Amino acid sequence: MSGRLRIRGGRVYDPANGVDGEVRDLCIEDGRIVAALPAGVPELDATGLVLMAGGVDIHCHIAGPKVSLARRLSPERRRRDVVASRALEDGYLRAGTGGLVPSSFVTGYRYGGMGYTTAFEAAVPPLGARHAHQELNDTPIIDKGFYVLIGNDDFLFRLLDTAGEDEVREHVARTAADARAYALKVVSPGGIAAWKASPRPDTRLGFDETVPGTRAVTPRRIVSAVASAVDALGLPHPLHLHCNDLGMPGNADVTLATMRALEGRRAHLAHLQFHSYGRAPDGRPTSRARELVEYLNEHPELTCDVGQVMFGEATAMTADTRVAELLHRLTGHKWIDLDVELESGCGIVPFEYRPKNYMHALQWAAGLELFLLARDPWQVVLSTDHPNGGSFLAYPRLIRLLMDRAFRDEELKRVNPAALAGTALADGLAREYTLSEIAIVTRAGPARQLGLPRKGQLGAGADADITIYAPQADIEAMFATPRYLFKGGELVVEDGQIVREVYGRTWQVAAPHGREVESAFARFVAERGTMPADQYRVDEDELPRAEIVAAAG
Amino acid sequence: MSTPGRPLPEGASARVDGAAASLDQALAAAAELLLRARRPLVTGMAEATVEAQRAAVELAELLQGVIDPAGSAAHAGAAAAFRTMGEVTATLGEARARAELLVYWGVDPDAVYPDFHAHFLAPVAGGPVRRTLAVDVGAARGPAGADQRLAVDPDREVELLWALRAAVRGRRLAPPPDALPPGWSPARLRELAGRLAACRYGVFFFEAEPPADRREPLRPLALGALAMDARAGARLRVLGVRPPGNAAGAEAVLTWQTGFPAAVDFARGYPRFAPGEHDAATLLACAGTDAVLLVGGAGELPPAARAALTRLPLVAIGGPAAAGARVAIPTRVPEQTPGSCYRMDGLPLRRRIPETEMSAPTDEDVLRRLSALVREAGRP
């Protein structure tokens, strides 16, 4: 199938090209979509079926040190979800385990089985870059890449205190280049560093407070400096930003302050749901999702993914270790708290969201408010912050919540009513997403925000990553089991089953920088760290299927 | 990758049943032996690269055998503690830059890992004043130059750690007179607990893969619990010291590929995790395997398991000349093999070595070729 194929007569949802459910043929040649093919090429009859570009996950945790720590922490959660190796006509599928944090092979198979063809791991510390790439190399089917962490690293702090914009920009570029990352991610700017430096678990850093051990570095300066550097470098994806105080009642204040501090610069706000809480006078958390959406509605340079909470098992997995410690204390569950030298941290707690729990129900409602109140679906991406709000395998159910009001109303009856009071859901939000809007929030939007012009759309020249669904009354079932999936023009899934194993590409950004920053960084880690600077550098031959995107700057 | 058919270095011929053989002959004999086995075991891997470890997992999967790193029995206590409660830990550079207290609990890291202190703990300009405390657990002694020394009777070690835990939580202990180990008064216990509970940044080192005579299965759990319980106002981290090599890499590879870090059984086609049951040490000691593929040396296996190796059909890839092996295939020594290894704190490293013209195959080459032969034979 790698050659030519005409997919005939399907209903095409391709919002990037203004196509909304029109019956069309799609033509594939050499892994790409082409405008036309001569008569007589092989055909696939898609009459009555729904065609979309392959799904694009802009924010998930699927590879690298923290993901494997989570796997090791909870083997008991995976014993009942096992996958045997299986012979295919051409090759074979690898064995593995599933659960919330599947093994690498199974991660790829399950994304593919759900009609997704691209996924980005959202947080890798520079020292974990090699590890993350090794796991992504073993993740089949999908195209992938990761965002490298910056914004709690001592070297950046030193530059902010003693150097200028140029040096910061060079450091940002070197960090991305060494790690072979696709984008830059800031997690709780300065907050992890402050927390690591303090013996007290409740240590918190205000947006304008100085990071301990620095002269004048504040979260505001970090956000502003890194966002500027990313823009100046012209990286395809803007700064990917996890704001301060994730999960804390009242954190909508710092979220809004962060959005304002960006002052018109581009940014993608990660899992905004977790940053959208107010605090009632009696101390109870409330939802302020509506205010955040209103700000987004007025600021097209900002985008977000929701980080929807789905009831059931989850795993908190974050560089924001303070949150992990809080969840550990709340639940008494086992946990991991790892300090990563000079740059980051890592916290992991097995968790469960329950519909009757006030806070969990509030989080669930706040996520739906973000989806349903946003004026422009191009600014909102569907995510569960897998596995933090729930598994990526819950996406079909989430799509049904958005598309099917009757189903949503039934679900509303299950959740803690006190948490719903005061949210827009209590006012009877009637909106139902259309298939075209679903195509935006699951593929076209994230591809655009990632700066991946060949993804998320089905125009001539696009990668032939195509998902074909059979329409069903049960939207969840329809999206959980695509009839066909094409990846790079090859048929890899039929009726939800992998029929061919392919390996996608690893996307990285070319971020040119000078030698000076390399030697300054090398001196710094020699003075303070234990890992020589050349070990931060991932070599070209470590990525057997790399695709390099040039920065525009 | 080296080209198949290249000559091996002088004096390093492959051997089948003691006789010199070509690489192809040895690979064919090895594949036949492993395919005939009902329950093949893949072990060793302590010094193999991540790339070779990946190939070893695939081979074990194709053979529907068991794969377990040789050091996993020695590491069982630390692994069980991790599964039970998680861990509060740090990479070595955090200890270097932040620690004001280093506690060596029955371990002298320089004896386990050459130049440990010079490599990882050289003081940082402007760093905190650092104090060191050596806790000697019987014959398992901390470093000689520590600022302070304490001794613990190995038979009372866990009780002492439990008492310390209670003390850092501010619980008043009213023990019967003999509840504390000899030499430990309640006052001394409180003094140490007070130091721990007020420590801005402290690191406990312990031996993560101790030999049987220094092993206390509950030690890692008790140290981890102590560090977590001191958390109200202290930041204590626990770091297992592991010998040089790539045991951490084997765990990482097994974890991402199968979901489990060790003792993975593919008998049913999917991975099952059975530490203490389907691990290399147990299978070898209890006649639970009928053929072994050993990657590198066997030194990390317990003595009883090593002895069993001589009685079983054995394929030895690399490592010190495996005298009793039915098939022995020499490979490049680890120091000359390019690839990745993981440090004891989980950070990946890359060994960059230019390819040379004359070179023995790597472990990875041999394992990949074995996998190809197994697949030709129709598995899966």
Side-chain angles (χ1 to χ4, degrees):
Chain A
M1 285 260 191
S2 64
R4 294 165 153 193
L5 179 74
R6 186 192 326 275
I7 303 173
R8 191 165 42 76
R11 272 197 292 137
V12 176
Y13 290 85
D14 183 18
N17 295 300
V19 179
D20 183 8
E22 293 163 34
V23 174
R24 297 197 165 189
D25 293 353
L26 278 186
C27 298
I28 301 175
E29 185 169 26
D30 293 331
R32 301 281 185 94
I33 310 255
V34 293
L37 283 171
V41 300
E43 292 195 344
L44 176 76
D45 182 7
T47 307
L49 302 180
V50 165
L51 273 66
M52 294 187 186
V56 177
D57 198 337
I58 203 170
H59 189 107
C60 57
H61 300 285
I62 54 171
K66 67 180 181 315
V67 178
S68 267
L69 282 170
R71 293 179 180 120
R72 275 173 57 202
L73 184 63
S74 300
E76 70 281 1
R77 280 180 148 194
R78 281 191 314 287
R79 283 185 193 279
R80 279 164 303 190
D81 185 4
V82 291
V83 176
S85 51
R86 180 158 64 85
L88 301 172
E89 228 170 83
D90 174 20
Y92 67 105
L93 298 181
R94 295 292 301 271
T97 46
L100 267 169
V101 192
S103 58
S104 63
F105 302 117
V106 175
T107 298
Y109 300 148
R110 292 201 168 162
Y111 263 110
M114 194 180 65
Y116 269 61
T117 48
T118 304
F120 281 86
E121 157 60 53
V124 174
L127 281 167
R130 171 163 287 117
H131 183 170
H133 279 304
Q134 287 170 349
E135 293 199 10
L136 290 176
N137 286 343
D138 279 343
T139 305
I141 313 293
I142 54 175
D143 277 18
K144 57 256 172 173
F146 67 70
Y147 315 145
V148 67
L149 293 175
I150 196 165
N152 281 283
D153 50 320
D154 292 29
F155 191 64
L156 176 73
F157 297 161
R158 181 180 281 192
L159 293 178
L160 288 173
D161 268 343
T162 62
E165 267 178 38
D166 290 351
E167 285 84 355
V168 169
R169 191 189 61 241
E170 287 282 289
H171 171 53
V172 168
R174 184 207 55 76
T175 302
D178 274 359
R180 294 187 180 267
Y182 185 71
L184 276 301
K185 164 89 174 292
V186 170
V187 172
S188 187
I192 302 167
W195 190 79
K196 281 202 297 184
S198 163
R200 298 206 52 87
D202 52 359
T203 301
R204 170 183 179 277
L205 185 70
F207 197 57
D208 289 303
E209 281 183 313
T210 306
V211 177
T214 70
R215 270 216 307 270
V217 178
T218 62
R220 181 187 299 279
R221 283 194 64 206
I222 295 168
V223 168
S224 165
V226 180
S228 295
V230 169
D231 271 355
L233 288 165
L235 302 188
H237 184 51
L239 172 61
H240 199 95
L241 179 56
H242 158 146
C243 296
N244 297 78
D245 293 342
L246 181 146
M248 303 294 167
N251 64 8
D253 285 336
V254 73
T255 308
L256 283 164
T258 306
M259 289 161 131
R260 292 193 188 103
L262 286 159
E263 295 177 327
R265 283 169 289 227
R266 299 179 308 151
H268 177 88
L269 300 156
H271 37 70
L272 190 58
Q273 178 277 126
F274 285 112
H275 305 273
S276 64
Y277 314 135
R279 188 181 5 220
D282 65 1
R284 272 203 311 181
T286 61
S287 167
R288 286 173 63 191
R290 190 193 295 263
E291 276 172 77
L292 300 189
V293 171
E294 281 165 7
Y295 194 92
L296 269 186
N297 284 343
E298 301 305 319
H299 289 83
E301 74 279 10
L302 300 178
T303 60
C304 74
D305 62 88
V306 169
Q308 177 69 33
V309 156
M310 299 298 282
F311 298 120
E313 280 195 343
T315 296
M317 180 190 288
T318 178
D320 199 344
T321 22
R322 173 170 167 250
V323 178
E325 175 149 28
L326 180 81
L327 294 177
H328 158 68
R329 281 164 186 276
L330 279 172
T331 61
H333 292 174
K334 56 187 173 181
W335 78 305
I336 292 166
D337 174 15
L338 162 65
D339 296 340
V340 184
E341 64 203 60
L342 303 179
E343 62 187 31
S344 189
C346 168
I348 297 164
V349 191
F351 198 68
E352 186 179 354
Y353 289 100
R354 299 166 196 271
K356 298 297 184 202
N357 176 295
Y358 175 88
M359 184 65 193
H360 303 174
L362 181 79
Q363 294 177 301
W364 180 83
L368 291 178
E369 282 182 284
L370 292 175
F371 277 115
L372 298 170
L373 294 172
R375 200 189 301 150
D376 182 1
W378 289 93
Q379 284 177 280
V380 179
V381 179
L382 184 139
S383 78
T384 58
D385 187 13
H386 162 87
N388 283 287
S391 164
F392 65 83
L393 292 170
Y395 291 177
R397 188 173 186 82
L398 176 52
I399 290 171
R400 185 173 182 198
L401 281 170
L402 299 178
M403 288 189 72
D404 182 346
R405 188 185 172 188
F407 173 67
R408 191 164 70 225
D409 285 345
E410 281 306 305
E411 291 291 292
L412 284 170
K413 292 178 191 159
R414 290 174 57 215
V415 309
N416 186 319
L420 292 180
T423 72
L425 293 177
D427 308 339
L429 266 178
R431 181 172 175 186
E432 289 184 330
Y433 269 53
T434 63
L435 278 174
S436 188
E437 286 176 321
I438 291 297
I440 293 171
V441 299
T442 57
R443 41 268 277 169
R448 181 180 286 181
Q449 292 158 26
L450 284 161
L452 292 171
R454 299 204 320 262
K455 300 292 181 191
Q457 57 111 355
L458 296 169
D463 286 340
D465 298 350
I466 306 166
T467 314
I468 304 181
Y469 302 102
Q472 295 184 44
D474 180 347
I475 299 288
E476 181 179 350
M478 166 179 165
F479 279 94
T481 313
R483 178 68 60 83
Y484 303 106
L485 178 76
F486 289 86
K487 174 72 183 68
E490 295 194 76
L491 179 65
V492 296
V493 173
E494 266 187 85
D495 293 323
Q497 294 292 309
I498 308 287
V499 294
R500 182 182 178 84
E501 187 180 62
V502 298
Y503 274 82
R505 291 173 298 248
T506 300
W507 291 75
Q508 60 175 92
V509 71
H513 57 277
R515 281 287 165 83
E516 272 173 45
V517 66
E518 290 179 5
S519 39
F521 181 70
R523 282 194 305 276
F524 181 81
V525 293
E527 277 167 29
R528 307 281 312 277
T530 58
M531 194 63 94
D534 70 339
Q535 291 294 346
Y536 286 76
R537 199 182 70 234
V538 176
D539 296 327
E540 191 177 356
D541 65 348
E542 293 182 73
L543 276 64
R545 293 168 294 270
E547 174 112 9
I548 302 175
V549 180
Chain B
M1 301 281 278
S2 66
T3 313
R6 261 189 201 167
L8 294 166
E10 205 178 345
S13 161
R15 302 184 84 77
V16 176
D17 290 322
S22 73
L23 179 57
D24 287 340
Q25 289 166 335
L27 285 166
E32 195 196 333
L33 185 158
L34 293 168
L35 278 164
R36 219 172 26 225
R38 290 183 54 233
R39 198 157 171 69
L41 167 69
V42 178
T43 187
M45 298 181 286
E47 290 190 286
T49 61
V50 158
E51 291 76 9
Q53 290 163 345
R54 287 176 71 235
V57 177
E58 182 164 14
L59 180 57
E61 185 182 326
L62 289 168
L63 290 167
Q64 299 202 330
V66 175
I67 182 164
D68 187 43
S72 92
H75 190 245
F82 180 92
R83 289 195 300 276
T84 305
M85 65 183 306
E87 64 179 355
V88 288
T89 188
T91 69
L92 288 157
E94 291 284 351
R96 182 185 173 195
R98 293 187 199 272
E100 56 179 40
L101 176 66
L102 298 177
V103 182
Y104 303 94
W105 195 275
V107 66
D108 176 1
D110 284 320
V112 180
Y113 192 109
D115 292 327
F116 183 89
H117 279 85
H119 263 121
F120 303 124
L121 293 174
V124 170
V129 176
R130 191 192 285 168
R131 305 282 297 168
T132 57
L133 167 62
V135 179
D136 301 328
V137 184
R141 293 177 61 80
D147 299 324
Q148 192 188 351
R149 297 202 87 75
L150 297 169
V152 184
D153 175 353
D155 293 336
R156 310 292 296 279
E157 178 186 2
V158 174
E159 288 152 281
L160 175 71
L161 281 166
W162 249 236
L164 264 175
R165 251 186 99 182
V168 298
R169 295 172 71 135
R171 304 285 162 84
R172 214 158 54 85
L173 279 179
D178 63 346
L180 286 171
W184 283 80
S185 65
R188 179 180 229 188
L189 186 81
R190 277 198 302 275
E191 188 272 329
L192 177 57
R195 276 177 71 192
L196 294 174
C199 187
R200 288 186 63 84
Y201 206 96
V203 178
F204 283 92
F205 292 108
F206 72 100
E207 194 174 13
E209 297 176 36
D213 60 342
R214 294 205 293 271
R215 205 172 294 160
E216 164 49 65
L218 284 176
R219 180 186 304 140
L221 186 81
L223 282 170
L226 173 60
M228 286 186 188
D229 283 353
R231 186 66 186 100
R235 199 167 180 82
L236 299 181
R237 316 276 96 179
V238 181
L239 245 160
V241 180
R242 306 179 83 160
N246 195 21
E251 278 164 23
V253 170
L254 274 161
T255 301
W256 87 62
Q257 292 207 341
T258 73
F260 305 123
V264 175
D265 182 354
F266 285 108
R268 294 185 188 166
Y270 54 80
R272 278 186 301 161
F273 179 47
E277 198 175 342
H278 301 161
D279 58 81
T282 309
L283 290 181
L284 285 166
C286 305
T289 174
D290 55 351
V292 180
L293 173 71
L294 178 68
V295 183
E300 295 76 12
L301 287 168
R306 274 205 304 275
L309 280 182
T310 61
R311 300 191 293 269
L312 282 164
L314 173 67
V315 176
I317 294 177
R326 291 273 294 280
V327 181
I329 303 178
T331 54
R332 262 188 260 180
V333 294
E335 304 81 62
Q336 286 172 20
T337 308
S340 296
C341 294
Y342 281 53
R343 215 165 72 170
M344 66 185 80
D345 56 1
L347 296 182
L349 294 156
R350 186 156 214 235
R351 193 158 49 214
R352 298 178 171 102
I353 291 170
E355 283 290 322
T356 51
E357 258 307 297
M358 278 291 293
S359 56
T362 62
D363 294 336
E364 183 194 5
D365 296 335
V366 171
L367 290 163
R368 294 247 171 257
R369 292 190 61 191
L370 270 176
S371 282
L373 292 173
V374 169
R375 291 196 61 203
E376 275 169 27
R379 302 258 191 106

